[in-house]
Amino acid sequence: MSDSPSAAAAQRKALVLFSGGQDSTTCLAWALERYASVETLAFDYGQRHRIELECRHRVRDELIRRFPAWAAKLGDDHLLDLSLLGRLSDTALTSERAIELQANGLPNTFVPGRNLLFLTFAATLAYRRSATVLVGGMCETDYSGYPDCRDNTLKALQVALSLGLDGPMTVETPLMFIDKAATWRLSEQLGGQALVQLIVEHTHTCYLGERGALHAWGHGCGHCPACALRAKGHSAYLAAQGKEPRGGSA
Ligand code: ZN
């Protein structure tokens, strides 16, 4: 993965796993800067807060409004019903394990191997849409995370998908080795303060589904692991620029 889009990349079509959060919005901007055309995909499996699905549309609309060059490349949006995953997760709820929030802001009842399933469904859709690149916000850095988010897992999946589809299916994860502060910096590099501000105002990260007041780092409860991680990363991003966080908590 190079920093400047290659001529070869500029010919390709990408499908971005786009939840409407900070990470996937940064990934979407990264893809729009790089590829000839870009479509977006989200999964509805019954656990997602509706607010997140609403934010997806707002973020797409704002990207179109504020970034005309990207708007020209942004194609269809897809929502895949994976209610089966919700049912698998419900099965876990009936087991002996205590339900608790993990450091990454997701409940421990979440479906193991979820990202393998997501990317495999995404590849099936991508194939039908003539896209040869999948882009996801998986990251090894901020928390130990799930083994299905690790770089080697996804490289192995890329090989399996490309073999199974008998054609290139590249899995790109631009955030894999960077922390949240660097994710904020990446969004600034891609779209300047206009993109940083769009992400602050319109993306959704809060695990509890709260919008609430607008903090310097965005909307959210400010206390859940997802909000805490986002706020901490934003403070570090500002501190590295010699700026103080503007108001808000954390
Ligand atoms: Zn929160």
Side-chain angles (χ1 to χ4, degrees):
M1 191 179 83
S2 76
D3 284 331
S4 56
S6 70
Q11 311 283 323
R12 300 176 76 182
K13 180 172 180 176
L15 179 63
V16 178
L17 276 65
F18 176 58
S19 69
Q22 177 191 354
D23 291 349
S24 68
T25 299
T26 306
C27 287
L28 177 53
W30 181 89
L32 287 165
E33 190 65 17
R34 201 167 236 84
Y35 299 108
S37 63
V38 176
E39 298 190 359
T40 51
L41 166 67
F43 302 99
D44 193 355
Y45 45 95
Q47 295 203 340
R48 189 175 293 281
H49 295 288
R50 299 316 295 182
I51 186 80
E52 198 171 325
L53 294 176
E54 285 165 25
C55 283
R56 295 181 72 249
H57 295 295
R58 210 164 308 135
V59 169
R60 277 181 52 102
D61 290 347
E62 288 296 319
L63 282 172
I64 289 167
R65 196 170 68 79
R66 301 189 200 183
F67 298 91
W70 290 349
K73 296 175 165 190
L74 184 58
D76 289 351
D77 180 46
H78 309 272
L79 183 64
L80 280 187
D81 176 3
L82 291 189
S83 44
L84 171 65
L85 285 196
R87 291 206 292 279
L88 282 170
S89 186
D90 285 345
T91 307
L93 284 168
T94 63
S95 77
E96 299 292 304
R97 292 167 65 201
I99 300 164
E100 55 191 29
L101 213 60
Q102 301 178 145
N104 57 11
L106 297 169
N108 60 358
T109 50
F110 225 67
V111 180
R114 179 186 61 130
N115 283 294
L116 301 179
L117 295 167
F118 280 2
L119 283 163
T120 304
F121 279 111
T124 300
L125 176 66
Y127 187 92
R128 298 291 293 271
R129 306 291 300 174
S130 304
T132 58
V133 185
L134 304 176
V135 183
M138 299 80 177
C139 173
E140 283 193 1
T141 308
D142 276 323
Y143 30 75
S144 58
Y146 294 107
D148 63 335
C149 288
R150 291 180 191 148
D151 194 49
N152 276 345
T153 309
L154 299 180
K155 288 224 165 34
L157 184 63
Q158 170 179 288
V159 173
L161 291 172
S162 298
L163 288 171
L165 296 168
D166 201 21
M169 189 57 71
T170 309
V171 177
E172 288 282 12
T173 52
L175 311 184
M176 182 57 74
F177 299 111
I178 67 176
D179 62 15
K180 273 281 186 287
T183 302
W184 285 108
R185 268 197 300 283
L186 175 60
S187 59
E188 185 185 336
Q189 285 159 14
L190 289 164
Q193 282 304 316
L195 182 61
V196 172
Q197 229 15 65
L198 187 161
I199 289 172
V200 165
E201 288 169 26
H202 297 290
T203 66
H204 186 81
T205 302
C206 181
Y207 171 70
L208 301 175
E210 265 185 41
R211 289 298 285 164
L214 179 62
H215 309 274
W217 45 267
H219 291 279
C221 75
H223 306 293
C224 76
C227 281
L229 195 62
R230 175 167 164 152
K232 184 164 161 270
H234 190 261
S235 294
Y237 157 68
L238 290 184
Q241 295 179 314
K243 293 180 196 163
E244 291 298 316
R246 290 164 301 162
S249 62

